[in-house]
Amino acid sequence: MPIKTILLHMANDDAHASRLAVAAALAKRFSAHIQALYIATPVSMPAGATGRAASYGYMAEATAIAHENAERIEREVRQALDGLSFDWTLEEGDHVDLLAERASYADLVVVVQSAAVRAGERVSLHHIPDRLPLETPTPVLVLPPKQPATAPIGRHVLVAWKNSPESARAVRAAMPFLEAADSVTVLSVEPPGQHTNDAADLVDWLHRHGIAARPQSVIASGGEVGDMILSCCGDQGADLLVMGAYGHSRLRELVLGGATRTVLEGLTLPVLLTH
């Protein structure tokens, strides 16, 4: 399916300008409409803000500041998206719930992984990159916290592949990127002593779609699979990782599987996730 509507997560945070620039570049590439959703509710709080009273106080103050900054950020959006099709909406509430509600009417959601949360400087209130891919069928593009605004996305794509519904959905969602890529690598991580043709089989399927991909297999010899995937991305010079988001139910709540969580925690390049 072509990418014709991009849902852009906007908030009063220090990474909003980067993902705005990425969304604008993608909209130009795919001739897409952007739905800019600005959510005034804070996405995180300082790690030292402990206690219910402190939390409530911080939330109220941060929400008020976000509303004060909304007009300025809207001007940034209108300037960055000048000449493009877009709309702007301001909401309050749970970021994941609001994004998931609107994702049904989008072809791609653009969010970012917080550097401050990863560094332990702040406490995440919504865990957007972790939760959102598990709560919507729409593919989610998670940007690393220091994604350069002008860096290309999708010239060199690495697909982390296993023969599963999650991976298959991710590849199909990524077809607009794969069709335009200069190079595509299909990576399979195999248990010791086992060999499959999964990567080669997907490469054959991609070839029939006119995509010149190549297979690569590595052995999971006691290492963390997520770390191996990120290492291969670095070795290949990949600027986009495509993978399924794996989760399971724990206490009636979906949580991420190990490889997906490791990739998000150590994210150094954009990753396209579907569940």
Side-chain angles (χ1 to χ4, degrees), residues 158-233:
L158 187 139
V159 177
W161 175 252
K162 61 188 293 188
N163 190 3
S164 69
E166 292 86 351
S167 287
R169 282 192 286 269
V171 170
R172 283 160 174 77
M175 287 300 282
F177 291 98
L178 299 177
E179 291 168 347
D182 293 335
S183 67
V184 176
T185 301
V186 177
L187 173 71
S188 63
V189 181
E190 301 182 349
Q194 297 185 26
H195 177 71
T196 70
N197 291 320
D198 287 349
D201 289 342
L202 180 65
V203 165
D204 288 342
W205 181 81
L206 290 171
H207 283 177
R208 288 190 285 273
H209 284 269
I211 298 168
R214 69 177 189 86
Q216 178 183 0
S217 297
V218 295
I219 304 300
S221 54
E224 167 59 55
V225 172
D227 289 332
M228 298 179 73
I229 292 172
L230 290 174
S231 177
C232 288
C233 286

Side-chain angles (χ1 to χ4, degrees), residues 125-175:
L125 300 174
H126 302 277
H127 301 282
I128 298 168
D130 298 359
R131 290 173 51 204
L132 185 59
L134 303 181
E135 297 193 17
T136 175
T138 304
V140 178
L141 181 66
V142 183
L143 304 177
K146 296 183 180 180
Q147 173 70 18
T150 58
I153 295 177
R155 288 184 182 172
H156 305 286
V157 183
L158 187 139
V159 177
W161 175 252
K162 61 188 293 188
N163 190 3
S164 69
E166 292 86 351
S167 287
R169 282 192 286 269
V171 170
R172 283 160 174 77
M175 287 300 282

